[in-house]
Amino acid sequence: MDIQWYPGHMTKTKRMMEENMKLVDVVVEVIDARIPYSSKNPYLNELWKRRPRVIALNKSDLADEAVTRAWKAWYEKQGYGVVVLDALHGKGIRDKIAGAAMALCQEKRQREAAKGYQKRAIRMMITGIPNVGKSTVINQVAGRAGAAKTGNKPGVTKGKQWIKVRGDLELLDTPGILWPKFDNPEIGYKIAFIGSIRDEVLDTYTLAVKLLELLQSRYPQALTARYKLAEEDMQGGADALLEKIGKKRGHLRAGGIVDVERTAVLLMDEFRAGKLGRMSLETPEEEEQEDAAQN
Ligand code: G4P
């Protein structure tokens, strides 16, 4: 993850997205199923307006199934085509995405046919913030392993290549990389939890404490089970809890002091790898409440 989003990068990326969008009929935005609100880039709505959009709730293997279903319904209500994916292990990803994309383009095709236009292939591009699984999805849709470049650099243009997905559907071979939302620190943390912002930007200790705070309220049992904690261990603050986890794991320095930095790295790694269980860090109801409070 070597992106730093400076205003210049964003301008370049916007320009590139605008260029690419002229070439495509449908955009697929890959988001992380653990944070389907925070990992979505609102700018895409502005740029793409009501044109056909598919949301791919990826990494669904790491998220809470019931919450993912609620997010699917929420985004469908807003007019998106929605697919739930596990691009790493799942099968049939190409058909899911192709089906959703073609369904959204059906009307346009019929309109074109009625006007007597020649039938042409539908063109699609994949976008999303870093680390949500764009390249993995492209490789699945293209039916090849490790072929999509993970070129995670904003504004890098390469020769455009179209991958034939099905007879009537083509995919741009490079993903459109979008910047994450920065406006709200809570969102910033969530994006960092899933590894879309370089860890060096935020120190791992702070990040781990923030994550623990969230998990203490949302998934306390997952924490007690994984780290063999007692109920009363959960009562104090998250920093004390991190220290207890460190003690349990034997992360001790000379003099018996807990090496909390080491424990912080462990917690982040284990969360990202799904070792704490399937977890969703936000729900549609919470977003609606937040929106209502702001308006
Ligand atoms: P990007 O193009 O959006 O930046 O993401 P990319 O495809 O490179 O995927 C980022 C990481 O997420 C990769 O792990 C990839 O294997 C993993 N990944 C993608 N889709 C899924 C999914 O549906 N479920 C799970 N569990 N993992 C998925 P990596 O190569 O190990 O990278 P990293 O985790 O070390 O960053």
Side-chain angles (χ1 to χ4, degrees):
M1 214 52 45
D2 54 359
I3 302 186
Q4 301 261 20
W5 290 97
Y6 297 113
H9 283 150
M10 289 196 192
T11 311
K12 250 189 187 169
T13 306
K14 274 188 191 176
R15 206 178 303 134
M16 196 178 120
M17 287 293 291
E18 281 162 19
E19 266 173 36
N20 284 340
M21 281 176 165
K22 282 186 204 140
L23 307 174
V24 300
D25 305 284
V26 51
V27 168
V28 180
E29 185 176 8
V30 181
I31 60 178
D32 190 306
R34 292 166 294 178
I35 50 167
Y37 178 78
S38 300
S39 60
K40 192 171 180 314
N41 178 309
Y43 169 67
L44 202 58
N45 279 8
E46 257 173 65
L47 201 62
W48 197 241
K49 299 261 165 46
R50 307 290 306 167
R51 295 170 71 191
R53 301 165 300 177
V54 176
I55 284 192
L57 286 158
N58 193 37
K59 306 204 185 185
S60 62
D61 54 311
L62 301 174
D64 197 314
E65 263 182 299
V67 180
T68 302
R69 273 198 300 276
W71 279 112
K72 183 172 188 287
W74 197 70
Y75 278 126
E76 278 171 347
K77 222 164 79 187
Q78 294 175 30
Y80 292 93
V82 184
V83 292
V84 175
L85 302 181
D86 165 2
L88 196 57
H89 319 92
K91 296 210 164 53
I93 285 156
R94 179 206 304 228
D95 288 341
K96 272 192 188 176
I97 291 193
M102 294 307 284
L104 289 175
C105 295
Q106 225 36 270
E107 249 178 64
K108 187 178 175 187
R109 302 200 93 192
Q110 280 162 2
R111 271 201 314 273
E112 286 181 355
K115 284 182 190 159
Y117 293 164
Q118 209 178 0
K119 202 171 160 192
R120 57 174 185 85
I122 292 292
R123 286 188 155 183
M124 156 173 94
M125 77 181 282
I126 287 181
T127 63
I129 68 168
N131 213 40
V132 288
K134 295 178 297 299
S135 305
T136 313
V137 170
I138 290 182
N139 289 330
Q140 288 279 3
V141 172
R144 59 191 184 182
K149 298 152 207 106
T150 339
N152 259 336
K153 293 239 168 62
V156 179
T157 328
K158 302 208 180 76
K160 288 183 188 33
Q161 285 192 19
W162 297 93
I163 301 163
K164 212 168 186 62
V165 180
R166 297 207 302 216
D168 50 0
L169 181 64
E170 290 175 357
L171 170 68
L172 190 60
D173 77 334
T174 33
I177 298 151
L178 295 168
W179 58 94
K181 294 177 194 170
F182 293 116
D183 39 352
N184 167 332
E186 293 309 314
I187 292 181
Y189 282 122
K190 286 184 192 165
I191 291 167
F193 297 155
I194 65 154
S196 291
I197 303 177
R198 287 200 309 169
D199 278 359
E200 300 92 274
V201 177
L202 293 163
D203 78 278
T204 312
Y205 175 78
T206 310
L207 210 56
V209 169
K210 283 281 173 194
L211 177 63
L212 267 186
E213 265 171 24
L214 205 62
L215 300 186
Q216 257 178 311
S217 64
R218 299 182 99 88
Y219 294 103
Q221 277 153 6
L223 288 177
T224 49
R226 176 82 193 165
Y227 299 114
K228 310 207 166 27
L229 299 161
E231 285 293 320
E232 58 266 28
D233 290 333
M234 304 296 285
Q235 304 311 322
D239 44 356
L241 185 57
L242 188 68
E243 203 173 322
K244 279 177 193 143
I245 294 173
K247 209 176 261 175
K248 289 272 180 195
R249 285 295 165 115
H251 293 172
L252 298 178
R253 277 196 257 144
I257 299 162
V258 180
D259 185 351
V260 283
E261 272 76 26
R262 187 173 159 206
T263 314
V265 171
L266 170 95
L267 180 78
M268 294 316 304
D269 284 351
E270 296 208 336
F271 170 75
R272 287 174 182 164
K275 289 195 178 145
L276 297 169
R278 298 174 66 151
M279 294 176 165
S280 298
L281 302 183
E282 53 197 26
T283 64
E285 296 76 44
E286 286 162 341
E287 287 328 313
E288 277 166 11
Q289 280 160 15
E290 185 103 336
D291 279 355
Q294 275 170 11
N295 294 326

